[in-house]
Amino acid sequence: WLVIDRKVYDVSKFSKRHPGGSRVISHYAGQDATDAFVAFHNDKSLVKKYLKSLLIGELAPDQPSFESNKKKSLLEDFRELRCIIEKMGLLRPNYTFFFLIFLHLLVLDAASWLVVWYFGISLVPFLVGIAFFTIAQIQMGWFQHDLGHCSVFRKPKWNRLLQIVVINLLKGLPASWWNHLHNQHHAKPNCFRKDPDLNMHPLLFSLGKTLSVEVSVGTAGEAKISKTESYRVRVSGLRLARYDVFSFFSLEKRRRSSCLTITSISISSVS
């Protein structure tokens, strides 16, 4: 189960059918997922229709409606800031901007091949083609990133369709793979064993001495637990048993080599 807006939902079976993947939901098992729910779902009225059948109760009055690892004052300020930004329209997409981005990356990609085809594979045309192709690939990566976040079009299906064109056809990577990993990254950023961006090969890469860690029940013996919190859930007027949730503790800084990170991501995409 997890908590959204002080309501408790049993998502054990639904997690397997969740469009964003089961791992995103499992990362919030036994925790408050309100802010993650708001961030990931644009059409909340549609999603809440599916939540009705999953509702099993609500939090007891003395239980906080936020993750135990976060400060209430900072969380309230963040929610207020998000509402202000939405009302100002700063999150509304600029279609002209995204059209020009898509157009220029197509031009660069086509130019990279045309230079080599027309001028041959001598050193200068080859380097110019490489430059065009590299810039195009980088821009494609960031453009499909915005599409993966459903930030370009209002309807998710159009974002998904164009994302498939960009990352599947133009970059040669599966959109489903990228979305599966990136959703987890934003659900639990910088949390070891939950953020895929930190899942480096243990024999080839290192994370440094300090990083953010979140301890789950399954790995409680592998890391230090700073604090144990418990939620009390009220279902149909009855108070259920206590559920233990190991809280998140963040160490000061996270160090890693950007070069090694890029290599690690390349390896994970192949495997």
Side-chain angles (χ1 to χ4, degrees):
W1 57 268
L2 50 77
V3 179
I4 300 175
D5 290 330
R6 299 195 63 82
K7 297 185 182 298
V8 184
Y9 299 92
D10 182 359
V11 294
S12 302
K13 296 181 180 179
F14 174 77
S15 63
K16 299 178 181 179
R17 298 181 285 109
H18 182 232
S22 60
R23 288 191 180 182
V24 176
I25 292 183
S26 65
H27 290 340
Y28 278 93
Q31 302 179 31
D32 189 295
T34 301
D35 292 294
F37 175 82
V38 172
F40 276 94
H41 303 92
N42 293 330
D43 192 352
K44 297 174 184 58
S45 59
L46 175 63
V47 179
K48 287 183 178 180
K49 293 180 180 179
Y50 294 92
L51 290 178
K52 291 181 179 179
S53 61
L54 306 176
L55 181 65
I56 60 173
E58 60 183 16
L59 288 180
D62 59 335
Q63 293 298 302
S65 59
F66 57 89
E67 292 181 69
S68 58
N69 57 1
K70 297 180 179 179
K71 293 183 179 180
K72 182 179 180 181
S73 58
L74 292 177
L75 189 58
E76 291 175 348
D77 289 344
F78 168 77
R79 292 175 178 176
E80 181 181 359
L81 178 62
R82 181 183 178 89
C83 291
I84 294 174
I85 291 175
E86 288 180 342
K87 291 180 180 179
M88 293 175 65
L90 298 180
L91 298 182
R92 286 197 295 266
N94 186 326
Y95 294 112
T96 303
F97 169 78
F98 284 114
F99 172 76
L100 293 176
I101 287 290
F102 186 47
L103 180 63
H104 102 273
L105 64 86
L106 289 178
V107 171
L108 286 173
D109 189 61
S112 66
W113 295 103
L114 288 174
V115 167
V116 176
W117 173 75
Y118 187 80
F119 294 101
I121 56 174
S122 57
L123 181 61
V124 174
F126 180 75
L127 293 178
V128 173
I130 285 290
F132 286 160
F133 185 78
T134 301
I135 296 173
Q137 287 293 311
I138 294 173
Q139 291 295 325
M140 289 177 192
W142 289 113
F143 184 52
Q144 74 83 26
H145 172 275
D146 293 337
L147 291 166
H149 281 287
C150 296
S151 301
V152 179
F153 302 103
R154 292 185 178 180
K155 293 186 177 181
K157 65 178 181 180
W158 294 114
N159 287 283
R160 300 303 184 199
L161 180 61
L162 188 55
Q163 185 192 25
I164 290 175
V165 172
V166 175
I167 189 172
N168 286 43
L169 299 181
L170 299 179
K171 289 187 67 67
L173 293 172
S176 58
W177 165 81
W178 186 90
N179 290 330
H180 175 67
L181 296 180
H182 200 64
N183 286 341
Q184 295 179 67
H185 163 67
H186 280 286
K188 292 292 183 180
N190 300 336
C191 295
F192 188 47
R193 300 187 186 281
K194 291 193 175 184
D195 184 353
D197 285 8
L198 297 181
N199 292 342
M200 296 185 176
H201 196 286
L203 300 180
L204 300 178
F205 309 100
S206 62
L207 292 171
K209 295 182 179 180
T210 57
L211 69 158
S212 299
V213 180
E214 177 162 327
V215 184
S216 64
V217 176
T219 59
E222 301 178 13
K224 178 182 177 182
I225 300 171
S226 63
K227 184 180 178 182
T228 302
E229 295 290 341
S230 299
Y231 274 121
R232 291 202 300 273
V233 183
R234 189 183 298 276
V235 181
S236 302
L238 299 177
R239 191 179 296 273
L240 296 182
R242 298 170 68 89
Y243 294 83
D244 291 330
V245 179
F246 294 107
S247 65
F248 163 87
F249 66 95
S250 175
L251 301 178
E252 292 181 359
K253 295 181 180 179
R254 176 175 51 90
R255 303 170 185 169
R256 59 178 175 173
S257 168
S258 58
C259 179
L260 294 183
T261 302
I262 294 173
T263 308
S264 176
I265 292 175
S266 299
I267 292 176
S268 65
S269 65
V270 173
S271 58

